[in-house]
Structures are given as structure tokens and as C-alpha cells.
Amino acid sequence: MTMKWRGWALATGVLAISAMAQAAPPTAAMLSNACAGCHGTNGGSAGPSMPSLAGQSKEAIVDAMKKFKSGARPATVMGRLAKGFSDADFVAMGEYFSKQKLHPTTQSLDAAKIAKGASLQEANCGRCHIEDGKEGKDDTPAMASQWLPYLQIQMADYLSGKRKMPEKMEEKVKPMSKQDLDALLHFYASVK
Amino acid sequence: MTLDRRNFIKLLGGASSLALAACAGTGGGLSGPTGGRRVVVVGGGYGGTIAAKYIRMMDSSIEVVLIERNDHFVSCPFSNLYIGGLMKDLSPLTIKYDKLTANHGVKVLQAEVTGVDAAKKVVMTSSGEVTYDRLVLSPGIDFRTEEIKGYDAKSTPETIPHAWKAGPQTILLRKQLEAMPDGGTVVLSIPLAPFRCPPGPYERTSMIAMFLKQHKPKSKIIVLDANPDIVSKKGLFLKGWKKHYQGIVDYRPAKKVTEVNVDKKTVTIEGIEDVKGDVINLIPPQRAGHIAVVAGLVGPDKNWCPVNPTTFESTIHKGIHVIGDACVAGAMPKSGYSANSEAKACATNIVNTMNGKELIDFSGINTCYSFISAKEAVEVTGVYSVDKAKNAIIAVPGSVGVSPDLSEIEAIYAESWLKNILTEMST
């Protein structure tokens, strides 16, 4: 069944050239599918420390990727991975994930904290994290149904100063107690 | 050799009315005409499950038959944690295929593939012949045991495990470690690269050392590496061994094991130096999974399958695509995440080809975690694309790198990595 060396080389060359000539640059789906190994199919995460990308706005994705690339947002793998893509790639990925339905999660959450968080969010966060965090104003990320451990890791990075808060967020977050913040995260994690 | 009725119904997962309807429609089940829309995927691991699922997600008018010899799959990634005692059993690493059928209509045939006729477009299996329009092989690896004197492919691993395919071998190695007396010696033999999972042997070293430190502190592990140096994440592994396993890990580079003596429990390096172990974990040199060799898909090196870097179609046989560890994917390492990315690009271009649409260039990612201790992990990542001039997959400059240090947060991310990638493969 094996081919002689000359036949093999010939087949290699001919097939390769014909395929290469036709191929178009990676599409939004090609770029985004590669993310799904860690962020879940269509950006719906099953891993509690990884965010869902499904339902994020294009602006939020582009902003996050640019900040990962520049190092402005702390990261482990994302800082390096972002360097592998162009700004145009970020826009394509952002458009792709913004078209996916928000990914509902089932988590064990504290009902009292959810209720407390619900009352806090309206007065403090609702102007940017609109629709109970299902959407975000401009490049504000959607928070609804994100995994609680992911939200807690991000909040810890904000509070330690590793991740820089937007000015308006800082004004609201600074006066809040740790219990208040934890309640807010429970609330957002609960929204479906 | 047609697919018999019992197996055909089994294949459709109990959906017998559907099975009968399909039988009536095609006349001869899977051995009959395909209607021009059938992709057969061989191998239900990191590559095959994803190729099957994504083809169906992209175009549900294409029939996809996934052929796998087992009714489940056990992940190699994270199996070192089981060996080190961090997992009670292999259930967190085990997936089944029923939801690929329920959610995506992937037909799963549990059978052993014995041959491929590329000209007739037929796969021979233990349950009969299956015809295809496009074939995707994701067969993983097999071992070049003939290069180790004294190694019997069937009987040697029963006492000297490789544990490089997860499952019973993984369990055997852990049992041997548990049974070993304190003060014993573990010998781990690493083959010359390329092999499945470049950082895997060094993670295994770490996990075995962790087990010894905790349970058998007078014991040690001798690592015989055929390579001139640690193949992946070198600085991080050395740092971790110094921090946690000083006096336990005895790493010896450029020590190629060429012979094994099962009765004496020794391995021999280049025919001159014997090393004895109470437990021997001999990882033999590797090549593409057996079926890829049988199908004549390996290149001039006789080990790995050359493919087109855009479509993953074999450069030897048209209509057959090879993904995952078995293929030559340029700069991409032989990892589970690479197989996941390759599968999606392959699926995209198979669907586009079958629908008369243009091909799309490959863009893929690799992310690969290794545990150093119970709570610390490290990773390597990279973005990969096609270099048209070289006609090969290359790493995008600046994207490839490793963790700056041992890290507890990376261990937390690693656990979510596993959860996500296994969920993606099984739902």
C-alpha cells in the first residue's frame, strides 16, 4: 500500500500547492473556535475559573484582548495568547462571541447574598452593568451567569490593584465592604 | 463483511426506530452507498470527538460516524495527577459519547478498525465495512517497541507499564508505586522526541516524586531521558524539583534505554549500563497510531503522517485527513489542545469542501498545563498559523512562552481547562 518516494513527493507537492492557493484567511469562526477548548463551545464555559465569552459585546472582548496584549490587565496565558492576534482578529472574535447566546450556569449560591447583592447592584452598578448584568454599557463586560470563582478572582485582582478599575467603578467599589462585594458577585452569578 | 443488524442498532444508541428507518434508506446500513454526505471519524479522543461534533454543528446534513473501540475515553492530560495520588479514581478524566449522539446526531460505532481502502473509500472494522466520502483519522500514538530489545508489545507492559495511554496502564503504575517498599527505586525512561505530550514525562516525574516524598520518603526516582536535555518547560521543572524534591529526583540526560529485562527488572542504556528499578515506567519511542500505519499514511520517516497544513488532508492519500498526535503539524506540539484546534480546522475545511466553498486557513492554539506539586502548576501556550511560503504550521511570533514561575492560580486555571475541554468533547 505504500507509495514509492518519488510518487510520495509528487503527491505532496501537487496537493499542497492546489490547496494553499485557494485558502482564504482565517474567519471569525476559525479564530474563535480555537478559544473554545478553554472557554467552552461557542464561548459557554464549564470551568469555574474561566469566563464565558458568549454574549459579551464586541467592545468588551476587544477591550479585554487589547489590555491582555499590552499587559494592562494581569494574566497567565492570555497575555501571551493575545500577542498572537491582530486588532482586526480581536474585532472578528468580538463579533463572533457577541452573537452567541448568554451561557446560563447552574452554581450553588447563597440566597441571602443574592438578595443583598440585588439591592446593592441597582444603586451602584446598574448604570454600566445594565439589565442585571446581562449587558454592559460600551466596553463593560456582561456579568450575568459568570462563574462565581471567576468573578471572585477578578475582584481580588481589582482590590489588590493588579487589575485597574475604571474610575466610575472605583468610586462605587471603594466604600463597599468585602461582604457587600461578595453579595454582588453572588447576585451576578445567579442571573440567567 | 457488512455491518450486522445488532451492531448497527447498538451504533445508534438504542434509537431503534431511527436505525430501522436508516437501514431501509441506505439498503445496507453503513456498508452501503453514502449519498455523498458521510464523514467517518476514527478515534474518540481529543481530536476525533471534536471533529465529529463540529462537522455536525457546521452542517447537520452531513452524516458523521465516529468509530471507537472503547465505549469511553480516558484523558491522558491530568492522568499524572492520579498516578501521584491526587485523584481517587479516573472518573474525572473519563468521558462517554452518548451526548454527542443526543445533542449533535453523531453516530457512534463501537468497533475496532482493522484497515482502510483509500481507493474504494471503505473502512474495515470488527463490525463490518463502513463506506465514507471523507475519512478523519485521529488514532493517537502507538509504540515502536521493536526498538527496545527484550520488549514484548503484549506482555511487557503488564509488568513494566508505559502508562502513556490512559486507563488500565495508569492504574497499574499507581498500584505498583503503592506496593513498592519504602527505600525503593522508581525508574522512568523517556524516549527521544517527538512523542505525545512533550512536558508529560517531567510532570510525571514531579507527581511520582510528590507521591514518594509523602508516602515513601526513603525512595527515589531515576529519570533516564534519551534526549540531551529536558524537552519542555525546563527551567520550571528544574526549579520545582529543587524546591520540592531535592534528593528524590535523580535526572540523567542523554540516557537512551535500548533494552529491558522483565525478570531482572532492569533497563539497559545503549547496551552498556544496567539500571535496576523496583518500579519501572518505560515509555517507548512512538509513532502514529497503528491504523495510520496500516493505511499507508506515514511519511518517509515511517512514523508520522504528513498532512496539508490547511485541511489536514493526508499528502499521501486523498480524502483521508489525519489530526492529533499522529500527524505532522509543523510547530504545534503533540498535545490534547493541539488536537482540539486541528480538529476544528479540519472539520471546517471538510464541510467547506463538501459544500463547494473555499478553504479557510488554519488558526489554532495550544495551551498545556503541568502540575509540579499538589497545588502548583505551570503552562506553555502558543498561537499557530500557516506560513504560506513554507507551506507549514508555524508559531505566531511573540505568542509562545511559558509561565514565569510555579503558580497556584495556574493550578486553579488548569482544573477549569480540563473541565472545559472534556465538556467540549462530550456534550
Side-chain angles (χ1 to χ4, degrees):
Chain A
M1 193 111 96
T2 49
M3 291 169 80
K4 291 241 169 70
W5 162 246
R6 265 184 62 185
W8 181 84
L10 188 70
T12 309
V14 168
L15 284 177
I17 290 161
S18 63
M20 294 307 295
Q22 294 163 17
T27 55
M30 175 70 79
L31 294 166
S32 306
N33 284 342
C35 310
C38 286
H39 290 280
T41 303
N42 293 328
S45 176
S49 63
M50 306 253 192
S52 289
L53 304 177
Q56 295 294 340
S57 68
K58 180 182 81 183
E59 290 79 8
I61 299 264
V62 170
D63 179 66
M65 292 302 285
K66 282 186 175 172
K67 283 179 176 155
F68 280 134
K69 196 173 185 174
S70 72
R73 181 168 171 180
T76 54
V77 301
M78 287 307 300
R80 272 170 267 129
L81 291 176
K83 290 190 180 78
F85 299 102
S86 67
D87 285 4
D89 293 337
F90 296 160
V91 171
M93 292 173 185
E95 279 174 352
Y96 185 87
F97 287 116
S98 71
K99 286 177 196 153
Q100 310 302 322
K101 269 193 208 145
L102 205 71
H103 178 69
T105 52
T106 305
Q107 319 180 42
S108 69
L109 299 164
D110 184 319
K113 287 181 182 175
I114 292 171
K116 187 181 172 189
S119 64
L120 283 168
Q121 69 90 22
E122 202 152 315
N124 292 290
C125 321
R127 285 176 69 177
C128 296
H129 294 289
I130 45 186
E131 296 287 325
D132 292 344
K134 283 183 193 163
E135 288 173 35
K137 185 169 175 273
D138 303 327
D139 58 15
T140 306
M143 309 266 280
S145 240
Q146 289 290 12
W147 292 101
L148 184 65
Y150 167 72
L151 294 173
Q152 288 170 331
I153 291 167
Q154 295 308 309
M155 187 51 82
D157 277 354
Y158 277 131
L159 295 175
S160 72
K162 267 205 249 172
R163 184 172 173 187
K164 200 176 162 349
M165 275 186 260
E167 242 171 69
K168 280 179 196 163
M169 181 174 169
E170 200 166 11
E171 279 169 26
K172 300 288 184 187
V173 165
K174 275 261 165 99
M176 277 195 224
S177 67
K178 284 208 163 161
Q179 287 78 6
D180 286 349
L181 290 172
D182 195 42
L184 277 168
L185 302 186
H186 274 258
F187 167 74
Y188 284 120
S190 76
V191 177
K192 284 181 192 178
Chain B
M1 273 269 277
T2 55
L3 193 65
D4 71 47
R5 199 184 131 93
R6 213 181 92 237
N7 278 311
F8 187 64
I9 289 171
K10 192 164 108 196
L11 134 84
L12 284 162
S16 51
S17 59
L18 184 61
L20 292 171
C23 252
T26 53
L30 294 177
S31 61
T34 62
R37 306 287 286 170
R38 181 186 292 155
V39 179
V40 171
V41 180
V42 175
Y46 273 88
T49 53
I50 295 296
K53 166 174 162 172
Y54 271 74
I55 289 169
R56 292 286 302 170
M57 278 172 54
M58 290 169 189
D59 187 342
S60 60
S61 76
I62 296 172
E63 181 188 14
V64 174
V65 181
L66 174 64
I67 310 180
E68 161 62 47
R69 66 161 81 93
N70 299 309
D71 69 349
H72 67 281
F73 171 75
V74 183
S75 165
C76 265
F78 273 69
S79 63
N80 286 329
L81 277 72
Y82 170 82
I83 291 167
L86 297 178
M87 262 176 216
K88 195 166 90 265
D89 54 40
L90 292 174
S91 62
L93 308 184
T94 305
I95 59 162
K96 298 228 165 200
Y97 305 113
D98 52 326
K99 286 186 184 143
L100 290 181
T101 306
N103 297 345
H104 304 286
V106 173
K107 296 175 180 174
V108 180
L109 172 61
Q110 193 188 333
E112 178 91 28
V113 174
T114 53
V116 176
D117 187 330
K120 286 189 188 156
K121 296 192 168 183
V122 173
V123 175
M124 279 76 83
T125 83
S126 54
S127 294
E129 295 187 345
V130 183
T131 45
Y132 66 83
D133 296 296
R134 294 247 157 209
L135 176 63
V136 180
L137 295 185
S138 191
I141 51 141
D142 263 315
F143 300 111
R144 284 144 53 196
T145 55
E146 68 279 7
E147 293 178 19
I148 311 275
K149 202 175 154 194
Y151 196 109
D152 179 76
K154 198 169 173 330
S155 67
T156 301
E158 289 168 7
T159 46
I160 300 194
H162 50 75
W164 219 238
K165 295 181 183 184
Q169 280 279 300
T170 318
I171 293 167
L172 176 62
L173 179 55
R174 173 155 147 184
K175 277 191 179 152
Q176 289 187 349
L177 290 170
E178 286 169 346
M180 187 182 81
D182 192 6
T185 300
V186 180
V187 173
L188 169 60
S189 158
I190 306 172
L192 273 177
F195 51 80
R196 159 180 282 178
C197 188
Y202 312 102
E203 179 188 56
R204 176 163 295 172
T205 300
S206 308
M207 290 292 97
I208 290 177
M210 180 188 72
F211 174 83
L212 297 178
K213 186 180 177 181
Q214 198 180 347
H215 300 285
K216 324 220 171 206
K218 291 178 208 151
S219 311
K220 61 175 182 172
I221 173 168
I222 298 172
V223 183
L224 303 174
D225 193 342
N227 299 285
D229 209 342
I230 294 173
V231 170
S232 175
K233 305 175 190 169
K234 179 188 166 186
L236 293 163
F237 282 116
L238 288 178
K239 190 170 182 178
W241 296 345
K242 197 172 171 193
K243 180 178 173 184
H244 295 291
Y245 313 122
Q246 195 88 272
I248 300 174
V249 173
D250 176 357
Y251 175 77
R252 304 178 187 175
K255 297 284 185 187
K256 187 179 169 192
V257 167
T258 51
E259 192 174 338
V260 62
N261 189 313
V262 175
D263 298 327
K264 287 204 264 178
K265 287 203 163 180
T266 59
V267 290
T268 307
I269 299 154
E270 308 280 10
I272 45 170
E273 181 189 352
D274 283 350
V275 181
K276 190 169 163 50
D278 296 285
V279 172
I280 301 175
N281 176 199
L282 199 177
I283 306 166
Q286 293 155 34
R287 65 161 67 93
H290 180 66
I291 189 63
V293 179
V294 170
L297 296 163
V298 292
D301 69 359
K302 295 194 165 66
N303 292 326
W304 308 105
C305 305
V307 293
N308 175 288
T310 298
T311 59
F312 292 86
E313 186 173 18
S314 166
T315 54
I316 297 173
H317 287 307
K318 272 191 172 181
I320 304 180
H321 302 249
V322 186
I323 55 173
D325 294 343
C327 78
V328 180
M332 289 200 100
K334 296 188 185 300
S335 74
Y337 206 106
S338 292
N340 175 292
S341 265
E342 291 159 20
K344 290 164 181 173
C346 176
T348 301
N349 284 315
I350 283 177
V351 170
N352 282 10
T353 300
M354 290 179 102
N355 290 334
K357 291 188 184 161
E358 66 180 347
L359 298 175
I360 309 296
D361 269 336
F362 174 73
S363 175
I365 290 174
N366 176 53
T367 298
C368 170
Y369 290 93
S370 308
F371 277 75
I372 304 271
S373 66
K375 288 193 168 166
E376 295 163 313
V378 295
E379 39 74 17
V380 59
T381 51
V383 178
Y384 297 86
S385 65
V386 173
D387 183 314
K388 299 228 178 196
K390 289 181 184 156
N391 188 31
I393 295 173
I394 56 151
V396 179
S399 72
V400 177
V402 299
S403 311
D405 206 343
L406 317 188
S407 155
E408 292 195 11
I409 190 77
E410 300 243 48
I412 291 168
Y413 288 140
E415 306 240 350
S416 280
W417 175 99
L418 179 76
K419 184 84 183 140
N420 263 318
I421 203 159
L422 291 184
T423 300
E424 197 179 37
M425 290 158 65
S426 58
T427 61

